[in-house]
C-alpha cells in the first residue's frame, strides 16, 4: 500500500470508527487497547494487534490516541515511555487546554511530538467529508501527517500552542451544552402546558436560526469595546429574564437554568451596567471575581 501506516491506541466507539476508516482507505493500521477483546473485530478487518503499548508505539511514527482523557494517556504511555522517541502522537482525547499543554510537554520530554486534536463529531461522523477536527502543535509535524489525518475528518489547524485545539473544542462545547439545555427547558415548559416536543420544535428552530445575526452584531461591538445601551439595556433584559424565571416557577418545572440566568443579570445590575448593553455581562464573566 502507498498509504502511510498508522497506530491507533484506544478502541472506544471513537477509536474503532477511526481504525475502520483508516483500513477502508487503505492505511495499514496497528492497534492496541487496554481491554484487548475490543480489537478483535478490527483485527478481522485487517488491523494488526500489538502485544503492548510499547510495541504499538514502535510500529509506526504516527500514533493516534483516542482515550477518555489525558489521565488515561499517562496510564497507557508511562510504562511505554521509552518508545516515545521520534513518534508523532496525535492525541484526539478531549480534555482542558492546560491538560493538553502539560501532555505536550510530557511527550516532548520523552523525545516525541504531540499534536493535540479536538474531534467535533460523534463516531458516526468519522470518514464523512463534512466533519472536522481542530489540531494544534508543531506545524511541520501537522503538515507532514495532514493527508493521513484528513482520512478521518477535515483538519483545521489552529496554531502551534498545543492548547488551542482543546480551547476551540471547548468553545464549541460550552455553547452546545448550554444551548441544548435551553432546548430541554423549553420542551419541559411546553410539556407541562400540554405541548409536545414536536409542537415546540418549529419555534425552537426559528429562535436558534435567528442567533447568527446576534452573534456577529455583538462580536463587532465587543471587540471594539462598545457596550453602550443604544440598542438594548441590561435593565430591560433583567425584566425579561425575570419573566422567564417566573413562567417556569408558575409551571412548576425545574428552575436551575433560568435562575442562573437571572443571577448573572442581577450581578450585572449590581456592577452598575443597568443602562448599558447586556453584552457588558461579558466583562463580568471575563473577571468573575471583580
Ligand atoms: P471512551 O471513553 O468510550 O473511550 C475509552 C477508551 O479509553 C477505551 O479504549 C478505554 O479502554 C480507554 N481508557 C480509558 N481509561 C483508560 C485507562 N485508565 N487506561 C487505559 N485505557 C483507558 O470514549 P470514546 O471512544 O467515545 O471517545 C474517545 C475520545 O474522543 C474521548 O476523549 C471523547 O471525549 C472524544 N470524543 C468522543 C466523541 C463521541 O461522541 N464519542 C465526540 C467527540 C470527541 P478500555 O476499552 O480498556 O476501557
Amino acid at each position: 500500500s502507498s498509504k502511510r501506516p498508522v497506530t491507533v491506541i484506544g478502541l472506544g466507539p471513537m477509536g474503532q470508527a477511526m481504525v475502520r476508516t483508516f483500513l477502508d482507505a487503505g492505511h495499514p493500521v496497528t492497534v492496541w487497547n487496554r481491554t484487548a477483546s475490543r480489537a478483535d473485530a478490527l483485527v478481522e478487518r485487517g488491523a494488526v494487534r500489538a502485544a503492548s503499548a510499547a510495541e504499538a508505539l514502535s510500529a509506526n511514527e504516527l500514533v493516534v490516541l483516542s482515550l477518555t482523557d489525558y489521565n488515561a494517556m499517562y496510564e497507557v504511555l508511562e510504562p511505554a515511555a521509552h518508545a516515545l522517541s521520534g513518534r508523532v502522537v496525535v492525541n484526539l482525547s478531549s480534555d482542558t487546554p492546560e491538560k493538553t499543554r502539560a501532555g505536550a510537554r510530557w511527550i516532548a520530554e520523552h523525545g516525541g511530538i504531540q499534536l493535540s486534536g479536538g474531534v467535533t463529531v460523534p463516531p458516526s461522523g468519522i470518514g464523512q467529508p463534512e466533519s472536522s477536527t481542530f489540531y494544534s502543535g508543531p506545524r511541520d509535524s501537522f503538515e507532514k501527517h495532514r493527508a493521513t489525518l484528513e482520512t478521518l475528518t477535515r483538519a483545521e489547524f489552529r496554531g502551534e500552542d498545543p492548547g488551542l485545539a482543546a480551547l476551540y473544542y471547548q468553545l464549541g462545547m460550552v455553547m452546545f451544552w448550554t444551548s441544548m439545555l435551553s432546548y430541554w427547558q423549553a420542551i419541559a415548559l411546553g410539556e407541562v402546558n400540554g405541548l409536545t416536543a414536536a409542537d415546540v420544535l418549529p419555534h425552537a428552530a426559528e429562535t436558534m436560526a435567528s442567533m447568527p445575526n446576534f452573534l456577529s452584531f455583538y462580536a463587532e461591538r465587543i471587540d471594539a469595546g462598545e457596550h453602550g445601551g443604544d440598542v438594548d439595556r441590561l435593565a430591560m433584559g433583567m425584566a425579561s429574564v425575570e419573566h422567564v424565571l417566573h413562567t417556569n416557577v408558575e409551571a412548576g418545572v425545574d428552575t436551575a437554568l433560568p435562575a442562573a440566568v437571572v443571577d448573572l443579570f442581577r450581578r450585572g445590575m449590581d456592577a452598575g451596567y443597568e443602562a448599558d448593553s447586556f453584552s457588558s455581562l461579558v466583562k463580568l464573566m471575563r473577571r468573575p471575581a471583580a
Side-chain angles (χ1 to χ4, degrees), residues 186-195 247-248 250-253:
I187 288 174
L189 182 60
E191 278 179 348
V192 301
N193 284 283
L195 304 181
T247 300
N248 285 273
E250 232 174 58
V253 299

Side-chain angles (χ1 to χ4, degrees), residues 153-235:
T153 68
R154 271 190 298 118
E156 297 191 21
F157 186 73
R158 291 292 158 167
E160 299 237 335
D161 167 2
L164 285 172
L167 176 67
Y168 275 94
Y169 175 82
Q170 297 300 348
L171 291 177
M173 292 321 285
V174 70
M175 294 198 65
F176 177 79
W177 291 123
T178 53
S179 302
M180 289 305 289
L181 275 177
S182 75
Y183 184 37
W184 294 174
Q185 187 78 37
I187 288 174
L189 182 60
E191 278 179 348
V192 301
N193 284 283
L195 304 181
T196 64
D199 292 329
V200 173
L201 171 62
H203 184 46
E206 215 172 285
T207 303
M208 289 289 187
S210 72
M211 287 297 161
N213 290 327
F214 289 103
L215 303 187
S216 45
F217 175 78
Y218 282 109
E220 249 177 65
R221 286 169 59 100
I222 290 168
D223 281 345
E226 284 171 31
H227 297 279
D230 52 322
V231 285
D232 72 275
R233 296 171 81 247
L234 186 67

Side-chain angles (χ1 to χ4, degrees), residues 69-254:
D69 54 22
Y70 273 64
N71 287 341
M73 172 181 83
Y74 297 117
E75 287 199 27
V76 169
L77 295 189
E78 256 162 8
H82 58 277
L84 276 170
S85 183
R87 304 296 94 165
V88 175
V89 176
V90 182
N91 196 334
L92 299 180
S93 317
S94 309
D95 217 315
T96 68
E98 276 309 317
K99 289 272 193 154
T100 68
R101 290 181 185 117
R105 287 193 294 272
W106 184 78
I107 297 276
E109 280 164 23
H110 294 281
I113 290 167
Q114 178 184 284
L115 287 171
S116 322
V119 182
T120 65
V121 293
S124 57
I126 301 300
Q128 304 300 317
E130 66 277 10
S131 303
S132 70
T133 302
F134 301 121
Y135 289 95
S136 59
R139 185 185 280 275
D140 51 349
S141 300
F142 170 74
E143 290 302 341
K144 181 172 180 189
H145 295 290
R146 176 179 206 131
T148 304
L149 296 171
E150 286 195 323
T151 305
L152 301 178
T153 68
R154 271 190 298 118
E156 297 191 21
F157 186 73
R158 291 292 158 167
E160 299 237 335
D161 167 2
L164 285 172
L167 176 67
Y168 275 94
Y169 175 82
Q170 297 300 348
L171 291 177
M173 292 321 285
V174 70
M175 294 198 65
F176 177 79
W177 291 123
T178 53
S179 302
M180 289 305 289
L181 275 177
S182 75
Y183 184 37
W184 294 174
Q185 187 78 37
I187 288 174
L189 182 60
E191 278 179 348
V192 301
N193 284 283
L195 304 181
T196 64
D199 292 329
V200 173
L201 171 62
H203 184 46
E206 215 172 285
T207 303
M208 289 289 187
S210 72
M211 287 297 161
N213 290 327
F214 289 103
L215 303 187
S216 45
F217 175 78
Y218 282 109
E220 249 177 65
R221 286 169 59 100
I222 290 168
D223 281 345
E226 284 171 31
H227 297 279
D230 52 322
V231 285
D232 72 275
R233 296 171 81 247
L234 186 67
M236 182 275 287
M238 182 80 231
S240 171
V241 297
E242 279 179 333
H243 295 155
V244 172
L245 174 61
H246 295 149
T247 300
N248 285 273
V249 169
E250 232 174 58
V253 299
D254 192 273

